[in-house]
Amino acid sequence: MPDTISLKIKRQDSPDKAPYWETFEIPYQPNLNVISALMEVRINPVTRDGKKTTAPVWDAACLEEVCGSCSMLINGKPRQACTALVDQLEQPIVIEPFSKFPVVRDLMVDRSRMFEALRRVKAWNPLDGTYALGRGALVSSETQQELYHFARCMTCGCCLEACPQVNEHSPFMGAAVLGQAYMFNLQPAGSSMAHERLDALMGPGGHGDCGNAQNCVRVCPKEIPLTDAIAAIGRQLTWYSVKKFFLDRGGKKKEASGPGG
Amino acid sequence: MPKRVIVVGGGLAGLSATIRAAERGMIVDLFSVVPVKRSHSVCAQGGINSAKNLKGEGDDPSIHATDTLFGGEYLADQPPVKGMCYAGPSIIDLLDRMGVPFNRTPEGHLDFRRFGGTLHHRTAFAGATTGQQLLYALDEQVRRFEVQGMVEKYESWEFLSLVIDGNGQTRGITAMNLWQREVRVFKANAVIICSGGPGLVFGRSTNSIINTGAACSRAYQQGVWYGNGEFIQVHPTSIPGADKLRLISESVRGEGGRVWVPKDAADRRAPVSIPESERDYFLERKYPKYGNLVPRDVATREIFHICTVEKRGIDGGNSVYLDITPSQSKKSPEVLEEKLGGVLEIYRKFVGDDPVQTPMKIFPGMHYSMGGLWVGYGDRGDMIAQMTNVPGTFAAGEAEFQYHGANRLGANSLLSCIYGGMEAGERAAKWVGSHSDEAPEAVYSTEKKRQDEINDNILKMSGTENPYALHRELGDWMTSRCTVVRDNAGLDELLNKLDEFEERWKNIDVNDRSVSANQAFGFTRALLDMIILAKAMAKGARMRDESRGAHYKPAFDLAKPAAEKLGNAHDHDGYRAYAAEIAAKWNTTFNLPAKSDKPITPEFGAYMDRWIEIQKQWNRTTIAKYLPGQQQPEISYRDVAMTVEPPQPRIYK
């Protein structure tokens, strides 16, 4: 058993500075996760070579893999640092910020583009108001379970990081938002806005930019069936395009919702 | 002045307040230290209570209110508790309409499960990630308002202070951009603080590590009263980790999970090979009616006692079994997965064992603060619902003290967050409607200057203490002296230690002067606020010489008579007189049951006499007031509003 844990951390002082590496060693303890190891570094921010430095900066909140904060590249894999257990990792543990998002500092990145994408596809159910209107529609247990898979998406960004189509030259919004669009199109109330979501996904950065590499579904920490959603959205888009074509020709205003997956 | 409301915090309470204020035509500036979707509400697992009575059990909001008041040992003001419980069913309907994927019955209705402190199926749930699902549903609605231009989010911004004018009125806040360390003033005549709980004051807890309690502490240091600070809930079932204590939801017991230790403390066999007859299901043994679903404070003390006093924890250590395996819970692996998947996954990922195959090992962990910023409970001349003592400053959610008394029932927190948030949003909008004048610019520039100076001074700190190491010490002291079992000698030591921490804080080496996302600086600033808030909790605990709910002081505990000696409180004349006294005080009448012919044993009579004395002295809200320049807060007490029912001895069977 090693008596130290070695962490090689990619650092960057601010968005406009160049990145550099620092290696830290902390005393071995069993059952640590990467966050606990980073906490130890923070308590004594001295590199392996004895150089006093600043504490590395990172995002974290729940540490139970439900908030999506602590996304990092750990030994090259996009994942949540809270569930990355030190005893299962090869050392030195190489920790880098996500590469597909602008670095704020060290391991902290700016993922606001994911929230912008949620705004673009209208990722919500319509609601008349918070006043009493009685219960919602009955939902079968089967539909609830299907919705629930996608409702666990924590906007962590692993699927974007792993996707070859997501890069600085591409407007592709990534898999997470396609999963959310699929979920809302399946909702009893949300389905009434399905065509608006499909309109948003037809354009640049939408469904057409997916290259079917299927990396998203492999890295998703919540094992969300993202590729199923992407395929379903694809079918909805085809159906919707055909409908739209005939609707436009006929000049009639009809309800144009997808088949609802 | 435009119709503008500021909300600090984007968890369930903050988002509910935002939605309601926006519905009332307000422009809302919403501040959060993280993207709101990452707020601590995501961690709530088990569910949300409401007496929908969809299981044909005759449940009713009035029973929910009684369970809540009784569970909180009658320390909560009763009008808002009643309001919350009666609003429960319509709040569930609202969440259902928003699309929360609640679990369903075969017919498609909402499913409900059991939780602690009640005998009804009252808890709606979405797997075991109910908080996450509720938070996302509200986040989605806020996004809708954001697109409409009604809400502006300031994410990765931290609240620094209220702006209060010379007349004591709220005029806005100062906040700091955590990515660029820029301090700015934001104007609004109503501010709603929904910043959540103070878990980090206890070092490791079940809380997210963003829950410093700093926002509450800052408001408190500006004159907002802190109520019932000593009431800290320690959850019976968590998994200890080096970075945090991970919650294992009460829903595990709601779905049939059983708590046990081997009868023979020396039994080292694997748990599945220990036959049932050789297991001590100590909660079921001691509480035949509630069993594993006694309230949290009770379960926590029992587990703590088994491990630390009786030394009967697993392998002699600090843990007991929580057993949800199919033979114990009478549920198939598939059903367990559907109803508890999220929590089973946490155990699998962090411990490595599968709870469906083998019992979990758990131990109590600090979880929730019943105490918080004091807020009013009725729209009367002298107070406004959800408004603090500083006019124009409101609070909701775990940040305030109102709904849970001395102990919170499981699955009531999500309800109180949403109900309190909506109430606060409503009242804040109304307040802005009648307080639309503008404060002089100097009010804002003075506060901004004060904040810049505080920051500049912290950035210069170059002593020898590491802020994170000092925080660890704070947590260890608060956990050992101010959680499950308390005594005055230990609390005196703690109060001295907190003074010492405050001194040592001045000797911190911030070590990082950079502008960009300087966490060491931000944490150092919050650490002083944590130490100051810790004093309000510890002083409240030191002063309260009784046991009530989560506050347990054995030296002042009133021993309960043996079960066979117990009687009905309403058969006791002194109790009837006490109830009549309360009714007269609150200008109401209580319908006590008629006296039965069950005799009052001498033991029960003596217990009741003493119990009534204790209620008269201690059934009061603790108010901590920060005194600038003084090391310790001033503690005073306010009467609890008892308009629904008289307190009764809190004995679970």
Side-chain angles (χ1 to χ4, degrees), chain A residues 208-227:
Chain A
D209 288 356
C210 169
N212 204 25
Q214 310 208 1
N215 289 359
C216 52
V217 77
R218 282 191 283 269
V219 297
C220 177
K222 298 285 113 177
E223 299 173 22
I224 298 171
L226 289 163
T227 44

Side-chain angles (χ1 to χ4, degrees), chain B residues 7 20 99 297 370 489 551 562 570 584 619:
Chain B
V7 175
R20 180 55 66 81
D297 59 326
M370 274 69 73
H551 172 73
H570 60 257
N619 199 346

Side-chain angles (χ1 to χ4, degrees), chain B residues 16-30:
Chain B
S16 301
T18 299
I19 291 168
R20 180 55 66 81
E23 267 191 345
R24 294 291 177 261
M26 298 291 120
I27 303 290
V28 182
D29 289 333
L30 172 57

Side-chain angles (χ1 to χ4, degrees), chain A residues 157-187:
Chain A
C158 287
C159 56
L160 273 75
E161 180 66 17
C163 176
Q165 299 297 104
V166 173
N167 58 59
E168 53 190 298
H169 309 296
S170 147
F172 184 41
M173 290 187 281
V177 76
L178 289 164
Q180 293 301 294
Y182 166 74
M183 178 184 83
F184 284 102
N185 285 2
L186 185 62
Q187 285 270 10

